[in-house]
Amino acid sequence: MFAENVPKYTKTMKLPALIAAFLTLVCQSAFPVFAQPPAAAYYLHPRHADDIPLSRYAERRSKVLSTMSPKSLAVFFAAEVRNRQNDVDYEYRQSSDFWYLCGFPESESSLVLIPGGIVLPKTLDSTGARHDALLFVKKRDLYLEMRSGSITGADRAKTMYGIMTLENVNFASVLGTLLQPEDSTLKRDTVFVTTFPTSAVVEPLSGETVNIERESRLRLQKQYPRAVIRSQKRLLADMRQIKDADELRLLRKAIDISLAGHREAIAQTKPKAYEYEIEAAMEGAFKRLGAEDVGYPSIIGAGANSCILHYTFSRRQAEAGEVLLMDCGAEYHGYTADITRTIPVSGKFSPEQREIYNLVYAAQEAAIKEYRKGVDWRLPHSKAVDVIRTGLIKLGVITNPDDYKLYFPHGSVHYIGLDVHDAGNYATFQPNMILTCEPGIYIPAGSACDKKWWDIGVRIEDDVLVTDGEPVIVSAALPRTAEGIEAMMKAAAAQPTKLPSKKR
Ligand code: GLY
Ligand code: MN
Ligand code: MN
């Protein structure tokens, strides 16, 4: 429905109940929205049983507060709504740092952390309590709620998220009070601003980059000349790279859902299947099993498309004799898996495909062994490179050892979590880090090698948990060997597809 077709909700529409009822009756079919929506009509999604407990968010905020000087304050912003085209926006996704610290899902929100706390004016909080965290949220608006779903509002957010919450209209005055308190001993000299909703945009006519983040910092600096404006990005990365028990629980669930999706997609793969049909099987399973979204656009490429690292169009038909590369992960409660399998479209790898597959598998095996406490994060990739470089020379694909980079042009390791390429400081591995291991070989047509290797793209990607002992491959339940994949395809071909049932 277009926005223009709907009369705007305004205060003047507050008609007496009788007239409203009459109008509703008369206009129901042609103008169903003329009736004023009752104040509490719109369903507010309650917190889910799997949600991260509020105590965990409080623990994370306390950790941030404990690193801050008493004269500082920190502001975290929600992500902005991104426009798709005209009056249609992309589905909203909260900023990961903001979400990590309070779990509040709505746009136009901010979180302020205040070491030592603040006692708000009685008009804002009659309790006289001291608050070291303030959440600012958008005001309820029945017209907007009718169109896009309930807005939590300050009153409900306070109870649901366990943080003192105010409407956005109070943000500037509270910030001003904090930065210029009457008591000069409390003057705050450092403002941490870690996440800007948008950091920069490119001005289309000049092509010049307008750095919004820098402009905002300058403006704030001008307004409060004594304040030093700094970032806590590194602190947040330090925290987010080590997963707590709740994050591991959600990541395991995202991974399990993703594995089910991969199984369904594999079962749907046969010669002449379209990439989008296989994507539908994958993402259909994600949604049926309770994932809210994909963690990143699904990568499903057959034949030549298997050699495009982040191919997302999914329009081609898979042909007999080709490989199909699927890099797909479900997002569950904000946490995303990142899993890749490469399979033979006809159910059996050709001799060349098998050679390349086994080489990538050997590289992954060598790399995974190194996901151990205290190991430099670069070691697994260098182990994978050693295997692939030697293997490609042995197969005659390359003669110059450095040329392995032509066919293995990416790294093997990144954190996963709230982001598919999650925050982290990439130093040494520590227990409860969870990272991918994803070596690959891609030989597009036209490459300087025997054409029997052309159009073979293979990546194997698993999610590995670092522990005090052995690495744990959390995604291990999905076969990784060439033989395991062939056996799975044979079993799938022998029985009609069964859709997994929804378990939550
Ligand atoms: N799915 C993106 C990546 O593997 O990094
Ligand atoms: Mn990855
Ligand atoms: Mn991936």
Side-chain angles (χ1 to χ4, degrees):
M1 195 203 306
F2 294 106
E4 285 78 2
N5 292 347
V6 181
K8 276 215 172 227
Y9 168 77
T10 67
K11 286 206 165 68
T12 57
M13 289 171 68
K14 282 188 178 165
L15 300 169
L18 257 176
I19 302 176
F22 173 75
L23 274 180
T24 309
L25 256 178
V26 172
C27 306
Q28 195 74 56
S29 53
F31 306 103
V33 292
F34 258 114
Q36 183 204 330
Y42 299 109
Y43 178 70
L44 178 64
H45 204 289
R47 283 177 46 76
H48 186 268
D50 273 355
D51 277 344
I52 298 216
L54 299 184
S55 56
R56 184 71 79 186
Y57 291 117
E59 189 182 286
R60 296 172 185 168
R61 291 194 296 272
S62 297
K63 197 159 176 183
V64 174
L65 280 160
S66 74
T67 67
M68 294 167 63
S69 91
K71 292 191 173 181
S72 61
L73 69 96
V75 188
F76 296 87
F77 293 109
E80 67 179 4
V81 174
R82 300 203 189 262
N83 182 254
R84 190 170 183 265
Q85 282 293 305
N86 194 17
D87 60 353
V88 175
D89 296 327
Y90 284 108
E91 206 169 320
Y92 185 69
R93 170 55 155 80
Q94 188 53 278
S95 141
S96 296
D97 280 341
F98 179 83
W99 208 350
Y100 181 78
L101 291 173
C102 65
F104 190 66
E106 289 173 20
S107 63
E108 296 168 52
S109 324
S110 52
L111 173 72
V112 181
L113 299 185
I114 311 145
I118 181 175
V119 177
L120 293 165
K122 284 271 184 258
T123 46
L124 296 181
D125 177 23
S126 58
T127 69
R130 187 166 282 277
H131 304 284
D132 60 8
L134 294 176
L135 182 61
F136 291 87
V137 301
K138 59 188 162 192
K139 189 177 160 61
R140 290 196 65 187
D141 177 324
L142 291 180
Y143 171 73
L144 293 178
E145 292 186 43
M146 172 179 62
R147 294 192 61 77
S148 310
S150 195
I151 295 171
T152 309
D155 289 343
R156 294 189 289 185
K158 202 184 312 180
T159 319
M160 286 178 74
Y161 295 88
I163 308 179
M164 180 60 203
T165 308
L166 299 171
E167 281 175 359
N168 283 334
V169 68
N170 300 299
F171 179 81
S173 70
V174 171
L175 202 69
T177 309
L178 283 166
L179 285 167
Q180 301 192 321
E182 282 159 25
D183 178 352
S184 63
T185 60
L186 282 178
K187 272 186 182 161
R188 301 200 182 244
D189 53 16
T190 310
V191 182
F192 291 101
V193 186
T194 299
T195 323
F196 277 80
T198 298
S199 62
V201 288
V202 177
E203 202 277 302
L205 287 180
S206 66
E208 273 176 31
T209 301
V210 181
N211 191 320
I212 294 171
E213 183 160 342
R214 198 182 53 221
E215 294 295 317
S216 304
R217 283 174 194 275
L218 288 176
R219 205 166 302 134
L220 195 64
Q221 190 78 75
K222 212 163 158 186
Q223 204 173 351
Y224 303 106
R226 315 184 260 101
V228 179
I229 296 151
R230 299 179 59 189
S231 166
Q232 281 167 318
K233 223 118 204 84
R234 203 178 160 81
L235 169 68
L236 266 289
D238 271 339
M239 289 171 67
R240 284 176 53 192
Q241 68 183 353
I242 311 282
K243 269 52 186 187
D244 57 43
D246 289 306
E247 295 184 287
L248 290 177
R249 171 174 62 79
L250 294 178
L251 273 167
R252 281 184 192 280
K253 184 128 184 185
I255 290 167
D256 284 347
I257 292 172
S258 304
L259 296 181
H262 275 264
R263 279 195 199 94
E264 271 208 42
I266 289 169
Q268 291 300 315
T269 301
K270 52 185 180 303
K272 298 292 176 200
Y274 281 92
E275 292 160 342
Y276 57 75
E277 292 179 278
I278 299 164
E279 181 175 282
M282 176 82 73
E283 296 187 6
F286 290 179
K287 289 263 161 128
R288 260 200 321 281
L289 293 170
E292 293 87 3
D293 209 338
V294 289
Y296 51 93
S298 293
I299 299 164
I300 300 193
N305 293 337
S306 67
C307 298
I308 302 171
L309 304 186
H310 289 163
Y311 168 80
T312 56
F313 298 108
S314 303
R315 304 314 298 171
R316 189 173 175 278
Q317 229 171 349
E319 299 293 349
E322 293 179 340
V323 289
L324 177 81
L325 186 152
M326 291 181 285
D327 180 346
C328 306
E331 181 179 282
Y332 183 71
H333 283 35
Y335 286 82
T336 184
D338 187 5
I339 296 166
T340 309
R341 288 295 181 267
T342 307
I343 65 173
V345 170
S346 323
K348 216 152 183 59
F349 287 109
S350 73
E352 288 76 22
Q353 290 166 354
R354 191 178 304 276
E355 292 282 9
I356 298 297
Y357 191 95
N358 285 340
L359 193 47
V360 176
Y361 178 76
Q364 199 201 30
E365 282 284 280
I368 287 174
K369 288 195 179 79
E370 306 301 337
Y371 285 63
R372 288 173 185 282
K373 181 178 163 181
V375 169
D376 187 308
W377 76 278
R378 288 165 296 196
L379 189 63
H381 181 63
S382 70
K383 292 282 179 181
V385 164
D386 287 346
V387 172
I388 285 177
R389 185 199 280 125
T390 311
L392 287 177
I393 292 172
K394 212 161 140 197
L395 292 174
V397 177
I398 59 172
T399 46
N400 177 356
D402 268 355
D403 283 351
Y404 83 86
K405 288 182 196 150
L406 295 173
Y407 303 116
F408 180 16
H410 60 72
S412 307
V413 183
H414 62 80
Y415 299 94
I416 56 167
L418 284 167
D419 295 325
V420 64
H421 296 161
D422 205 37
N425 286 325
Y426 292 98
T428 52
F429 290 136
Q430 296 172 54
N432 294 338
M433 287 182 169
I434 180 159
L435 308 105
T436 61
C437 182
E438 52 172 313
I441 297 176
Y442 318 88
I443 313 178
S447 296
C449 60
D450 191 318
K451 57 163 59 149
K452 69 180 181 178
W453 304 111
W454 288 1
D455 288 338
I456 300 177
V458 174
R459 178 159 69 251
I460 312 174
E461 179 170 28
D462 282 273
D463 302 335
V464 184
L465 176 68
V466 181
T467 71
D468 277 315
E470 295 298 310
V472 175
I473 307 173
V474 186
S475 48
L478 191 64
R480 282 190 299 132
T481 62
E483 295 70 30
I485 282 171
E486 288 171 343
M488 181 169 47
M489 293 186 77
K490 196 170 168 190
Q495 62 185 168
T497 310
K498 270 206 196 122
L499 301 181
S501 60
K502 183 173 175 191
K503 266 194 261 133
R504 297 199 71 179

